[in-house]
Amino acid sequence: MEKVVIFGTSAGAALSHFCLTHDSPHEVVAFTVDRSYIKEEQFCGLPVIPFEEIESIYPPHDHKMLVALLANRVNKTRAEKYHQAKAKGYELISYISSKAITWPDLVVGDNCFIGEGSICRPFLKICNDVMIMAGAFLGHDSVIKDHCFIASRATLLGAVTVEPYCCIGANATILDGVTVAGACVIGAGAVIQENTREKGVYKVGPPTLLPLPSDRLENILFRGR
Ligand SMILES: CC(C)(COP(=O)(O)OP(=O)(O)OC[C@H]1O[C@@H](n2cnc3c(N)ncnc32)[C@H](O)[C@@H]1OP(=O)(O)O)[C@@H](O)C(=O)NCCC(=O)NCCS
């Protein structure tokens, strides 16, 4: 079994530990974060080691690493740790859930996470340090460039390009052939029909609260059933 150290002690780290443990040939042996971020000596029952000294305790010649941070600072924190881990000599692993749907031509870089139920269609390229949560739909001929975060149930239709450092929110839909410019935040549920503006934030408005109680709809809901 390949031994892996996970960078992080938050939700993404716990999720990665769980998935690697139950669904990969990797053995997670420790967690690491910057010394100033250590709150407990252990996380998920494993030691938490200061990143500053990780290579002296779990050296890169016989340990790999996964930087399991989510989208904090529009993916910049994860990207910084990605580069620092590589500079220390660590090979960064990628996890592809056995419950994702993939084809043999799928290209995936290092430090990627592809959650269960994701659909990776043919001719798809996922570059480095891309986090894809459960159930994302990644269309044919699409390219997701470095340091992106794709939330659950996000949909990229065919031939979509996602430039680096983007966050695509849950249930967002990107239409065919659209390019999402660098460092965009696409809000949950947004439908993006044309190329976006770099560093743009696209947010869908809140649902409307109608001025009536739901029992007024008793005869309206499920019409025709
Ligand atoms: C798009 C999204 C990120 C916006 O976040 P938000 O917290 O709802 O945003 P807010 O409405 O609080 O606005 C953020 C900022 O923009 C500002 N803003 C909002 N609407 C504005 C407007 N029309 N004009 C100018 N500024 C505006 C707000 O004032 C706020 O600034 P502040 O922090 O300085 O007060 C969020 O709605 C979203 O969709 N997140 C994705 C969630 C998701 O899918 N998670 C997946 C987890 S797996």
Side-chain angles (χ1 to χ4, degrees):
M1 266 194 164
E2 288 185 325
K3 292 186 165 70
V4 170
V5 175
I6 291 179
F7 188 103
T9 51
S10 53
L15 177 67
S16 299
H17 169 260
F18 186 89
C19 293
L20 290 177
T21 301
H22 293 285
D23 184 35
S24 87
H26 304 292
E27 179 194 3
V28 181
V29 294
F31 292 86
T32 185
V33 289
D34 291 349
R35 187 187 306 279
S36 60
Y37 280 79
I38 295 181
K39 295 184 203 121
E40 308 276 353
E41 287 180 2
Q42 292 210 327
F43 184 74
C44 298
L46 294 171
V48 180
I49 309 297
F51 189 53
E52 291 84 344
E53 59 197 55
I54 189 69
E55 62 273 38
S56 62
I57 302 171
Y58 296 99
H61 64 80
D62 54 5
H63 294 85
K64 296 181 178 179
M65 194 172 283
L66 178 69
V67 181
L69 304 178
L70 298 178
N72 189 33
R73 294 175 53 232
V74 196
N75 299 303
K76 286 200 195 84
T77 307
R78 195 178 69 255
E80 286 166 12
K81 296 304 165 191
Y82 169 91
H83 290 298
Q84 289 170 14
K86 287 183 91 125
K88 283 176 183 277
Y90 286 99
E91 184 182 326
L92 297 172
I93 64 156
S94 284
Y95 165 76
I96 303 175
S97 171
S98 65
K99 299 173 179 66
I101 296 175
T102 62
W103 290 95
D105 71 328
L106 177 63
V107 175
V108 180
D110 59 7
N111 209 65
C112 290
F113 180 101
I114 302 180
E116 69 274 15
S118 295
I119 298 176
C120 300
R121 302 227 47 223
F123 319 129
L124 171 69
K125 183 177 181 193
I126 298 170
C127 297
N128 300 316
D129 190 31
V130 175
M131 300 284 129
I132 296 168
M133 300 296 106
F137 179 96
L138 310 171
H140 66 86
D141 295 288
S142 292
V143 180
I144 305 170
K145 297 192 182 172
D146 296 350
H147 313 301
C148 285
F149 178 88
I150 314 285
S152 289
R153 294 287 183 190
T155 295
L156 315 186
L157 298 178
V160 165
T161 300
V162 182
E163 295 290 349
Y165 290 96
C166 285
C167 294
I168 313 275
N171 280 309
T173 300
I174 316 296
L175 264 53
D176 305 67
V178 165
T179 294
V180 182
C184 275
V185 174
I186 308 299
V191 178
I192 301 297
Q193 307 188 30
E194 49 191 47
N195 296 352
T196 64
R197 184 188 300 181
E198 193 169 332
K199 296 190 182 177
V201 180
Y202 294 77
K203 183 180 170 177
V204 174
T208 306
L209 175 64
L210 297 182
L212 75 171
S214 63
D215 49 16
R216 282 270 307 278
L217 301 182
E218 277 171 11
N219 298 324
I220 298 173
L221 284 176
F222 310 118
R223 245 178 257 175
R225 293 193 185 180

